[in-house]
Amino acid sequence: MKKSLLLAIFTLLIGACYTPMNNSGVSTNKPWLEVSGTRLDFRGDQYDSCFQFNIRLWPQEAVERINLSKSCITACCWRSEQNEVVLDFNKDFEQELALKGRARKYSPDKITLKVTHSNFVNLTKVTISPHGAINNKGLLKLSYEEVENPARLAQLHLAQQNRKSVSTEQVYTAPTTVSKTTRQKKVVSKTTISQSAAPVKTVSSPEADKAKELLHLSKGTQIDTYFYQMNKTYNKQGAVFLLSDRLLQAAFYDKNTYLISCHAKARTGVDETNLKAADFPCGKWLVNIIEETITPYDKKAKNIAQL
Protein backbone atom coordinates (compact mmCIF):
# COMPACT_ATOMS: atom_id res chain seq x y z
CA MET A 1 0.00 0.00 0.00
CA LYS A 2 2.82 2.36 0.93
CA LYS A 3 4.66 1.53 -2.31
CA SER A 4 1.54 2.27 -4.35
CA LEU A 5 1.12 5.64 -2.64
CA LEU A 6 4.76 6.58 -3.23
CA LEU A 7 4.48 5.53 -6.87
CA ALA A 8 1.38 7.70 -7.33
CA ILE A 9 3.14 10.70 -5.74
CA PHE A 10 6.21 10.14 -7.91
CA THR A 11 4.03 9.99 -11.04
CA LEU A 12 2.34 13.27 -10.15
CA LEU A 13 5.67 14.98 -9.54
CA ILE A 14 7.08 13.73 -12.84
CA GLY A 15 3.93 14.89 -14.64
CA ALA A 16 4.22 18.33 -13.07
CA CYS A 17 7.80 18.67 -14.32
CA TYR A 18 6.58 18.50 -17.88
CA THR A 19 3.92 21.16 -17.49
CA PRO A 20 4.65 24.73 -18.63
CA MET A 21 5.82 27.18 -15.97
CA ASN A 22 4.17 30.61 -15.88
CA ASN A 23 5.78 33.90 -14.87
CA SER A 24 4.15 33.49 -11.47
CA GLY A 25 6.12 30.27 -10.88
CA VAL A 26 3.06 28.02 -11.18
CA SER A 27 2.84 24.96 -13.43
CA THR A 28 -0.24 24.34 -15.58
CA ASN A 29 -1.56 21.25 -17.34
CA LYS A 30 -2.23 23.16 -20.58
CA PRO A 31 0.15 25.50 -22.48
CA TRP A 32 -2.73 27.94 -23.10
CA LEU A 33 -3.62 28.27 -19.40
CA GLU A 34 -1.73 31.29 -18.04
CA VAL A 35 -1.38 32.26 -14.39
CA SER A 36 -0.34 35.91 -14.13
CA GLY A 37 -0.57 36.36 -10.37
CA THR A 38 -1.06 34.49 -7.09
CA ARG A 39 -2.08 35.21 -3.52
CA LEU A 40 -0.25 33.42 -0.70
CA ASP A 41 -1.12 32.85 2.94
CA PHE A 42 1.26 33.41 5.86
CA ARG A 43 2.81 29.95 5.31
CA GLY A 44 3.59 30.71 1.68
CA ASP A 45 0.86 28.45 0.28
CA GLN A 46 -1.22 29.65 -2.63
CA TYR A 47 -4.89 30.22 -1.85
CA ASP A 48 -5.84 32.18 -4.95
CA SER A 49 -4.56 32.90 -8.46
CA CYS A 50 -5.45 35.01 -11.48
CA PHE A 51 -5.77 32.81 -14.56
CA GLN A 52 -6.37 33.47 -18.25
CA PHE A 53 -7.20 31.27 -21.25
CA ASN A 54 -4.92 32.08 -24.19
CA ILE A 55 -7.17 30.34 -26.73
CA ARG A 56 -8.19 30.97 -30.34
CA LEU A 57 -11.63 30.38 -31.83
CA TRP A 58 -12.61 29.06 -35.23
CA PRO A 59 -14.60 30.36 -36.92
CA GLN A 60 -13.51 33.77 -35.64
CA GLU A 61 -17.08 35.11 -35.80
CA ALA A 62 -17.89 32.90 -32.79
CA VAL A 63 -16.25 35.48 -30.50
CA GLU A 64 -19.27 37.73 -31.11
CA ARG A 65 -21.38 35.37 -28.97
CA ILE A 66 -19.27 35.53 -25.80
CA ASN A 67 -17.91 38.20 -23.48
CA LEU A 68 -14.15 37.78 -23.85
CA SER A 69 -13.27 39.53 -20.59
CA LYS A 70 -15.87 37.68 -18.47
CA SER A 71 -14.75 34.46 -20.15
CA CYS A 72 -11.17 35.09 -18.93
CA ILE A 73 -9.80 35.28 -22.49
CA THR A 74 -8.86 38.97 -22.70
CA ALA A 75 -8.54 39.46 -18.93
CA CYS A 76 -7.39 37.26 -16.07
CA CYS A 77 -9.93 36.06 -13.50
CA TRP A 78 -9.37 35.35 -9.81
CA ARG A 79 -10.05 31.70 -9.06
CA SER A 80 -11.74 32.57 -5.75
CA GLU A 81 -14.30 34.67 -7.61
CA GLN A 82 -14.77 32.54 -10.73
CA ASN A 83 -13.21 29.10 -11.01
CA GLU A 84 -15.65 27.87 -13.67
CA VAL A 85 -16.27 29.50 -17.05
CA VAL A 86 -19.10 28.53 -19.40
CA LEU A 87 -18.70 29.56 -23.04
CA ASP A 88 -22.30 29.70 -24.30
CA PHE A 89 -22.06 30.24 -28.05
CA ASN A 90 -25.82 30.11 -28.70
CA LYS A 91 -26.89 32.44 -25.90
CA ASP A 92 -27.72 35.31 -28.29
CA PHE A 93 -28.77 33.09 -31.20
CA GLU A 94 -32.52 33.81 -31.03
CA GLN A 95 -31.94 37.52 -30.53
CA GLU A 96 -29.55 37.76 -33.49
CA LEU A 97 -31.92 35.75 -35.69
CA ALA A 98 -34.81 38.07 -34.85
CA LEU A 99 -32.68 41.17 -35.42
CA LYS A 100 -30.77 40.25 -38.58
CA GLY A 101 -32.93 37.49 -40.07
CA ARG A 102 -29.90 35.22 -40.29
CA ALA A 103 -27.71 33.69 -37.57
CA ARG A 104 -25.28 30.86 -36.95
CA LYS A 105 -26.06 28.00 -34.60
CA TYR A 106 -22.86 26.54 -33.15
CA SER A 107 -21.99 23.07 -31.94
CA PRO A 108 -21.09 22.29 -29.25
CA ASP A 109 -23.32 25.05 -27.93
CA LYS A 110 -21.60 25.21 -24.52
CA ILE A 111 -18.05 24.52 -23.37
CA THR A 112 -17.23 24.47 -19.66
CA LEU A 113 -13.76 25.23 -18.29
CA LYS A 114 -13.05 24.55 -14.61
CA VAL A 115 -9.82 25.64 -12.94
CA THR A 116 -8.38 24.02 -9.80
CA HIS A 117 -5.02 24.19 -8.04
CA SER A 118 -2.95 21.73 -6.02
CA ASN A 119 -0.40 23.22 -3.64
CA PHE A 120 1.13 19.77 -3.16
CA VAL A 121 2.55 19.69 -6.71
CA ASN A 122 2.20 23.44 -7.45
CA LEU A 123 -0.08 22.65 -10.39
CA THR A 124 -3.00 24.69 -11.72
CA LYS A 125 -5.27 22.49 -13.79
CA VAL A 126 -8.11 23.17 -16.22
CA THR A 127 -10.67 20.50 -17.09
CA ILE A 128 -12.68 20.86 -20.30
CA SER A 129 -16.20 19.65 -20.99
CA PRO A 130 -16.85 18.25 -23.53
CA HIS A 131 -13.43 16.61 -23.42
CA GLY A 132 -11.15 17.52 -26.32
CA ALA A 133 -13.10 20.65 -27.33
CA ILE A 134 -9.85 22.66 -27.14
CA ASN A 135 -6.63 21.15 -28.47
CA ASN A 136 -3.22 21.45 -26.83
CA LYS A 137 -2.35 24.52 -28.94
CA GLY A 138 -5.37 26.41 -27.64
CA LEU A 139 -7.57 26.08 -30.74
CA LEU A 140 -11.30 25.83 -30.05
CA LYS A 141 -12.97 24.61 -33.24
CA LEU A 142 -16.74 24.77 -33.65
CA SER A 143 -19.10 23.52 -36.32
CA TYR A 144 -22.16 25.55 -37.26
CA GLU A 145 -25.23 25.82 -39.46
CA GLU A 146 -26.72 28.95 -41.01
CA VAL A 147 -30.31 29.50 -39.87
CA GLU A 148 -32.60 31.99 -41.62
CA ASN A 149 -35.82 33.76 -40.67
CA PRO A 150 -37.54 34.40 -44.05
CA ALA A 151 -40.11 36.80 -42.61
CA ARG A 152 -37.43 39.02 -41.01
CA LEU A 153 -35.26 38.93 -44.15
CA ALA A 154 -38.25 40.04 -46.24
CA GLN A 155 -38.92 42.85 -43.76
CA LEU A 156 -35.31 44.05 -43.91
CA HIS A 157 -35.31 43.87 -47.72
CA LEU A 158 -38.49 45.95 -47.89
CA ALA A 159 -37.05 48.55 -45.51
CA GLN A 160 -33.92 48.79 -47.66
CA GLN A 161 -35.98 49.26 -50.84
CA ASN A 162 -38.05 52.00 -49.15
CA ARG A 163 -34.86 53.85 -48.11
CA LYS A 164 -33.54 53.65 -51.68
CA SER A 165 -36.87 54.90 -53.02
CA VAL A 166 -36.90 57.91 -50.66
CA SER A 167 -33.28 58.71 -51.51
CA THR A 168 -33.96 58.57 -55.27
CA GLU A 169 -37.06 60.77 -54.90
CA GLN A 170 -35.08 63.41 -53.01
CA VAL A 171 -32.45 63.51 -55.76
CA TYR A 172 -34.97 63.99 -58.59
CA THR A 173 -37.05 66.61 -56.77
CA ALA A 174 -34.07 68.82 -55.92
CA PRO A 175 -34.18 72.34 -57.46
CA THR A 176 -32.42 72.41 -60.85
CA THR A 177 -31.84 76.19 -60.91
CA VAL A 178 -29.37 76.19 -58.04
CA SER A 179 -25.78 76.53 -59.15
CA LYS A 180 -23.20 73.80 -58.47
CA THR A 181 -21.33 76.08 -56.07
CA THR A 182 -24.49 76.82 -54.08
CA ARG A 183 -25.34 73.10 -53.82
CA GLN A 184 -21.85 72.34 -52.51
CA LYS A 185 -22.16 75.08 -49.89
CA LYS A 186 -25.50 73.67 -48.73
CA VAL A 187 -24.10 70.16 -48.44
CA VAL A 188 -21.11 71.39 -46.42
CA SER A 189 -23.38 73.40 -44.15
CA LYS A 190 -25.65 70.43 -43.53
CA THR A 191 -22.69 68.14 -42.79
CA THR A 192 -21.21 70.64 -40.35
CA ILE A 193 -24.46 70.89 -38.43
CA SER A 194 -24.74 67.10 -38.21
CA GLN A 195 -21.19 66.62 -36.94
CA SER A 196 -21.40 69.42 -34.39
CA ALA A 197 -24.70 68.24 -32.94
CA ALA A 198 -24.07 67.65 -29.25
CA PRO A 199 -25.89 65.01 -27.19
CA VAL A 200 -28.17 66.53 -24.59
CA LYS A 201 -27.65 64.00 -21.80
CA THR A 202 -27.18 60.34 -21.09
CA VAL A 203 -30.49 58.50 -21.43
CA SER A 204 -31.93 55.16 -20.43
CA SER A 205 -34.75 53.82 -22.56
CA PRO A 206 -35.70 50.79 -24.70
CA GLU A 207 -34.43 52.69 -27.76
CA ALA A 208 -31.12 53.47 -26.07
CA ASP A 209 -30.80 49.83 -24.99
CA LYS A 210 -31.41 48.74 -28.58
CA ALA A 211 -28.64 51.08 -29.75
CA LYS A 212 -26.25 49.52 -27.23
CA GLU A 213 -27.22 46.02 -28.34
CA LEU A 214 -26.69 46.90 -32.00
CA LEU A 215 -23.21 48.19 -31.18
CA HIS A 216 -22.44 45.03 -29.21
CA LEU A 217 -23.56 42.73 -32.04
CA SER A 218 -21.83 44.71 -34.78
CA LYS A 219 -18.59 45.98 -33.20
CA GLY A 220 -18.19 43.82 -30.10
CA THR A 221 -15.54 41.67 -31.78
CA GLN A 222 -13.36 44.64 -32.77
CA ILE A 223 -13.66 46.20 -29.31
CA ASP A 224 -12.68 42.93 -27.62
CA THR A 225 -9.78 42.55 -30.07
CA TYR A 226 -8.59 46.04 -29.12
CA PHE A 227 -8.47 45.14 -25.42
CA TYR A 228 -6.98 41.72 -26.20
CA GLN A 229 -4.06 43.40 -28.00
CA MET A 230 -3.67 45.87 -25.14
CA ASN A 231 -3.53 43.01 -22.66
CA LYS A 232 -0.83 41.27 -24.72
CA THR A 233 1.22 44.48 -24.77
CA TYR A 234 1.09 44.74 -20.97
CA ASN A 235 2.05 41.06 -20.59
CA LYS A 236 5.06 41.44 -22.89
CA GLN A 237 6.26 44.29 -20.69
CA GLY A 238 5.87 42.11 -17.59
CA ALA A 239 3.02 44.26 -16.29
CA VAL A 240 -0.44 43.32 -15.04
CA PHE A 241 -3.63 44.33 -16.86
CA LEU A 242 -6.92 43.37 -15.16
CA LEU A 243 -9.89 44.41 -17.26
CA SER A 244 -13.50 44.66 -16.12
CA ASP A 245 -16.62 44.63 -18.29
CA ARG A 246 -17.22 47.06 -21.12
CA LEU A 247 -19.46 49.95 -20.08
CA LEU A 248 -21.76 51.57 -22.64
CA GLN A 249 -23.47 54.92 -22.14
CA ALA A 250 -26.09 56.19 -24.57
CA ALA A 251 -26.97 59.82 -25.31
CA PHE A 252 -29.64 61.03 -27.72
CA TYR A 253 -27.94 62.52 -30.79
CA ASP A 254 -30.48 63.01 -33.55
CA LYS A 255 -33.68 61.46 -34.88
CA ASN A 256 -33.44 57.68 -34.30
CA THR A 257 -29.72 58.10 -33.61
CA TYR A 258 -27.78 57.67 -30.36
CA LEU A 259 -24.18 58.41 -29.47
CA ILE A 260 -22.77 55.44 -27.58
CA SER A 261 -19.66 56.03 -25.45
CA CYS A 262 -17.67 52.89 -24.73
CA HIS A 263 -15.12 52.48 -21.95
CA ALA A 264 -13.86 49.86 -19.51
CA LYS A 265 -12.52 49.98 -15.99
CA ALA A 266 -9.18 48.28 -15.38
CA ARG A 267 -6.41 47.91 -12.84
CA THR A 268 -2.82 48.04 -14.01
CA GLY A 269 0.57 47.84 -12.36
CA VAL A 270 3.98 46.21 -12.26
CA ASP A 271 2.62 43.40 -10.05
CA GLU A 272 -0.51 42.31 -8.17
CA THR A 273 0.41 44.26 -5.04
CA ASN A 274 0.81 47.62 -6.82
CA LEU A 275 -2.29 48.12 -8.92
CA LYS A 276 -3.87 51.42 -9.89
CA ALA A 277 -7.39 51.99 -11.20
CA ALA A 278 -7.66 53.29 -14.75
CA ASP A 279 -10.36 53.97 -17.33
CA PHE A 280 -9.77 52.92 -20.94
CA PRO A 281 -12.01 54.38 -23.68
CA CYS A 282 -13.08 52.17 -26.57
CA GLY A 283 -14.52 54.81 -28.84
CA LYS A 284 -17.68 56.79 -29.45
CA TRP A 285 -20.16 55.40 -31.96
CA LEU A 286 -23.24 56.75 -33.74
CA VAL A 287 -26.00 54.15 -33.89
CA ASN A 288 -29.17 54.53 -35.95
CA ILE A 289 -31.73 52.11 -34.50
CA ILE A 290 -34.05 52.26 -37.54
CA GLU A 291 -31.49 51.81 -40.30
CA GLU A 292 -29.38 49.67 -37.95
CA THR A 293 -26.14 51.37 -38.94
CA ILE A 294 -23.07 51.95 -36.75
CA THR A 295 -20.65 54.78 -37.58
CA PRO A 296 -17.37 55.55 -35.74
CA TYR A 297 -17.66 59.03 -34.22
CA ASP A 298 -14.14 59.69 -32.94
CA LYS A 299 -10.59 58.66 -33.86
CA LYS A 300 -10.51 55.83 -31.32
CA ALA A 301 -13.64 54.27 -32.76
CA LYS A 302 -12.30 54.60 -36.31
CA ASN A 303 -9.10 52.78 -35.35
CA ILE A 304 -11.02 50.00 -33.58
CA ALA A 305 -13.39 49.56 -36.53
CA GLN A 306 -10.40 48.63 -38.70
CA LEU A 307 -9.31 45.72 -36.46
Side-chain angles (χ1 to χ4, degrees):
M1 183 69 180
K2 184 179 292 184
K3 288 183 177 180
S4 300
L5 179 61
L6 290 174
L7 180 60
I9 294 173
F10 179 77
T11 302
L12 286 172
L13 290 173
I14 291 297
C17 291
Y18 286 92
T19 55
M21 187 74 72
N22 284 262
N23 293 333
S24 58
V26 179
S27 297
T28 58
N29 70 324
K30 296 294 181 182
W32 44 267
L33 174 60
E34 299 179 356
V35 178
S36 59
T38 60
R39 290 169 176 167
L40 308 178
D41 60 21
F42 67 95
R43 294 177 299 182
D45 293 332
Q46 181 194 137
Y47 68 89
D48 201 1
S49 60
C50 204
F51 65 89
Q52 186 172 346
F53 303 128
N54 187 19
I55 61 176
R56 297 170 290 114
L57 275 67
W58 188 94
Q60 294 182 352
E61 292 82 1
V63 300
E64 298 176 8
R65 295 287 183 81
I66 58 176
N67 186 314
L68 292 178
S69 60
K70 278 188 175 181
S71 301
C72 313
I73 296 175
T74 59
C76 77
C77 303
W78 287 104
R79 185 163 39 86
S80 61
E81 300 173 359
Q82 182 182 4
N83 70 331
E84 184 173 287
V85 175
V86 178
L87 305 179
D88 189 348
F89 293 101
N90 290 329
K91 180 180 179 181
D92 295 328
F93 167 74
E94 295 292 346
Q95 186 176 4
E96 185 176 337
L97 185 62
L99 182 66
K100 299 181 178 180
R102 185 180 289 109
R104 289 182 176 182
K105 193 167 188 177
Y106 292 100
S107 180
D109 59 339
K110 291 182 181 180
I111 294 176
T112 303
L113 304 169
K114 188 171 183 179
V115 178
T116 57
H117 179 77
S118 170
N119 276 320
F120 183 67
V121 291
N122 191 31
L123 176 67
T124 297
K125 181 180 179 181
V126 56
T127 54
I128 311 156
S129 178
H131 180 73
I134 305 175
N135 68 20
N136 204 47
K137 295 183 179 180
L139 177 62
L140 193 166
K141 194 171 182 179
L142 300 165
S143 60
Y144 65 91
E145 62 172 324
E146 294 279 359
V147 181
E148 293 186 350
N149 182 337
R152 178 56 174 163
L153 289 174
Q155 184 182 26
L156 293 173
H157 178 72
L158 180 61
Q160 184 180 21
Q161 294 301 314
N162 289 338
R163 287 196 296 269
K164 288 182 178 179
S165 176
V166 171
S167 177
T168 302
E169 182 180 350
Q170 289 176 345
V171 171
Y172 283 103
T173 57
T176 57
T177 57
V178 181
S179 66
K180 182 178 180 181
T181 303
T182 304
R183 287 200 303 269
Q184 289 177 341
K185 288 182 179 179
K186 286 187 176 181
V187 171
V188 172
S189 176
K190 182 178 179 181
T191 303
T192 303
I193 293 173
S194 177
Q195 291 179 347
S196 62
V200 177
K201 61 179 180 178
T202 301
V203 296
S204 178
S205 65
E207 292 78 12
D209 290 340
K210 182 179 180 180
K212 294 178 185 179
E213 184 62 26
L214 284 171
L215 177 62
H216 169 70
L217 291 173
S218 179
K219 301 300 178 183
T221 300
Q222 287 95 326
I223 294 172
D224 281 340
T225 300
Y226 166 71
F227 284 123
Y228 180 76
Q229 292 177 349
M230 183 182 295
N231 179 67
K232 288 296 184 183
T233 300
Y234 271 80
N235 288 342
K236 287 180 180 179
Q237 296 173 351
V240 179
F241 181 77
L242 304 179
L243 184 70
S244 68
D245 297 338
R246 289 194 309 266
L247 302 174
L248 302 177
Q249 294 178 316
F252 181 76
Y253 185 84
D254 203 351
K255 184 179 180 181
N256 301 321
T257 303
Y258 290 82
L259 179 64
I260 308 298
S261 299
C262 174
H263 65 103
K265 299 291 184 180
R267 291 182 295 162
T268 62
V270 293
D271 54 51
E272 294 293 340
T273 59
N274 295 281
L275 295 178
K276 294 183 178 180
D279 189 284
F280 291 89
C282 39
K284 294 183 178 181
W285 311 78
L286 286 179
V287 181
N288 187 300
I289 61 174
I290 300 300
E291 298 182 359
E292 299 182 354
T293 57
I294 291 88
T295 305
Y297 184 79
D298 62 358
K299 185 177 180 180
K300 176 73 70 178
K302 290 177 182 177
N303 291 337
I304 293 176
Q306 296 175 357
L307 296 176

